[in-house]
Amino acid sequence: MAAAVRRRLFEAADQLGYVPDASAQTLKQRTSRAIGVVVSDLSDSFYAQVVVGVEQTLRDAGYQVVLVTDNKDSAQEVTVARTFLALRTPGVIITPVGSEATTLLRLQGVTVVEVDRQLAQDGCDAVILDNEQAAIDAMSHILALGHERIALLTVGTDWTSDAGRQWGYRTALERAGLPFDDALVVKAAPHDSESLIERRIRDLLGQPGLTAIFAANNVLTVRAWRVLHRAGLRLPDDMSLVGFDDVAWMDMVTPGITVVAQPAVDLGRRAASLLLRRMESRDLPPAVERLHAGLVVRGSTGPPRKPR
């Protein structure tokens, strides 16, 4: 088609308000320019930042993002996967809560990249954090200040993110020659209520000799901060607190919260880049990228209080 004719056709389409039928194009091409993104919790700022990185990278490559949440439910995750199959989505980026959805998608020829967690049963591209080392770094900071009785707030799953942080906690204690005490560990379930989690943290404060808390995600960090604040305990004089995920409120309170800062946006960017590479070259061996977190030291940590 001549350039002048093509230009006149586009001008006429603009005047008429014509929009191409994406469904018809998808049927004709048997694929689409939409990439599925599944996250566990849209209200969690960590996942929002991951999506920012994904969307930026895919937009630059000419793709659109279809974003949904599985609400940390594996059955719902499979339902979402079936929806993406119906939409003929060529690729999906997922923060998995199970392996079934990834398996279903890949069996149907859809490119999948897991991000934040790695749960696929076979070789699947993934971008994850070095969670064990991140927890070791956080614990090493607390231990260096002189704390010995340190509580862990975590989520009781076998997901690589939660399991890695738990192993990091135990590894740091072992390296310091300190015993692991199960009484100092609170393992929340993914769907526990705020009130239940905060009650368990309040109970934890009664443990003898407790001087520091390591909260292994941003939701548990805010729960711990609220419990300590309501109990009238001062940071770091009465209790030290280290959190996970550097969300906005953590440097807005006084004192600011010492925190493991995940590169959330970069996790999303790297996952999108792996997806694009895999869609172009399906014969490449599976790639797993492990990113490193940084520790941001603020005023919520200090030496343990001296006995009166």
Side-chain angles (χ1 to χ4, degrees):
M1 182 184 297
V5 176
R6 184 181 181 87
R7 185 179 66 254
R8 287 197 298 271
L9 283 174
F10 281 123
E11 289 173 352
D14 288 340
Q15 292 174 1
L16 293 171
Y18 169 76
V19 177
D21 189 332
S23 297
Q25 291 180 342
T26 295
L27 287 172
K28 181 180 179 180
Q29 300 170 4
R30 302 193 64 81
T31 188
S32 75
R33 299 294 291 181
I35 299 297
V37 178
V38 189
V39 297
S40 296
D41 185 356
L42 287 173
S43 67
D44 190 325
S45 60
F46 166 73
Y47 296 111
Q49 291 298 302
V50 170
V51 173
V52 167
V54 169
E55 197 277 333
Q56 289 174 347
T57 303
L58 292 179
R59 183 184 62 229
D60 291 344
Y63 287 90
Q64 299 296 318
V65 165
V66 179
L67 174 63
V68 293
T69 180
D70 56 30
N71 293 310
K72 302 178 183 178
D73 181 86
S74 58
Q76 188 169 342
E77 194 170 70
V78 171
T79 299
V80 169
R82 295 187 185 280
T83 299
F84 285 140
L85 289 175
L87 293 172
R88 301 180 188 274
T89 303
V92 172
I93 293 173
I94 185 171
T95 60
V97 296
S99 61
E100 295 87 351
T102 296
T103 299
L104 172 63
L105 289 165
R106 297 183 72 205
L107 284 174
Q108 297 299 318
V110 177
T111 301
V112 179
V113 173
E114 296 184 322
V115 63
D116 184 45
R117 311 177 192 113
Q118 186 181 13
L119 302 184
Q121 298 299 312
D122 54 0
C124 178
D125 292 336
V127 182
I128 58 177
L129 187 76
D130 188 341
N131 287 285
E132 184 171 353
Q133 187 59 53
I136 290 173
D137 292 344
M139 286 291 293
S140 296
H141 168 68
I142 306 173
L143 291 163
L145 291 170
H147 296 273
E148 297 185 355
R149 295 279 287 170
I150 305 164
L152 171 67
L153 310 181
T154 185
V155 181
T157 74
D158 58 0
W159 297 343
T160 51
S161 52
D162 300 318
R165 294 168 200 180
Q166 292 168 35
W167 275 112
Y169 170 83
R170 297 186 68 143
T171 299
L173 289 175
E174 182 179 347
R175 290 178 181 177
L178 296 172
F180 171 80
D181 185 349
D182 192 59
L184 295 179
V185 178
V186 169
K187 291 185 178 181
H191 295 287
D192 279 351
S193 66
E194 294 181 12
S195 59
L196 174 60
I197 293 172
E198 292 185 5
R199 183 168 70 249
R200 294 182 67 188
I201 296 172
R202 284 196 301 272
D203 294 342
L204 184 67
L205 297 181
Q207 287 294 321
L210 178 67
T211 60
I213 296 174
F214 172 37
N217 66 39
N218 66 72
V219 175
L220 292 171
T221 304
V222 72
R223 301 285 171 261
W225 184 87
R226 286 177 177 173
V227 169
L228 294 171
H229 182 71
R230 290 168 184 166
L233 297 176
R234 299 167 299 165
L235 298 174
D237 298 337
D238 301 317
M239 188 73 62
S240 284
L241 174 64
V242 176
F244 215 101
D245 301 329
D246 194 12
V247 298
W249 71 270
M250 293 183 181
D251 67 353
M252 297 171 65
V253 297
T254 302
I257 308 300
T258 296
V259 65
V260 175
Q262 289 201 74
V265 174
D266 202 31
L267 281 167
R269 288 183 183 136
R270 295 306 309 152
S273 295
L274 275 184
L275 186 82
L276 293 170
R277 188 184 73 164
R278 175 63 60 190
M279 289 194 299
E280 291 179 359
S281 305
R282 293 182 175 272
D283 294 333
L284 290 172
V288 177
E289 296 190 12
R290 286 179 174 81
L291 305 188
H292 297 283
L295 185 68
V296 180
V297 178
R298 300 191 179 109
S300 68
T301 49
R305 61 182 179 271
K306 296 180 181 180
R308 295 179 179 177

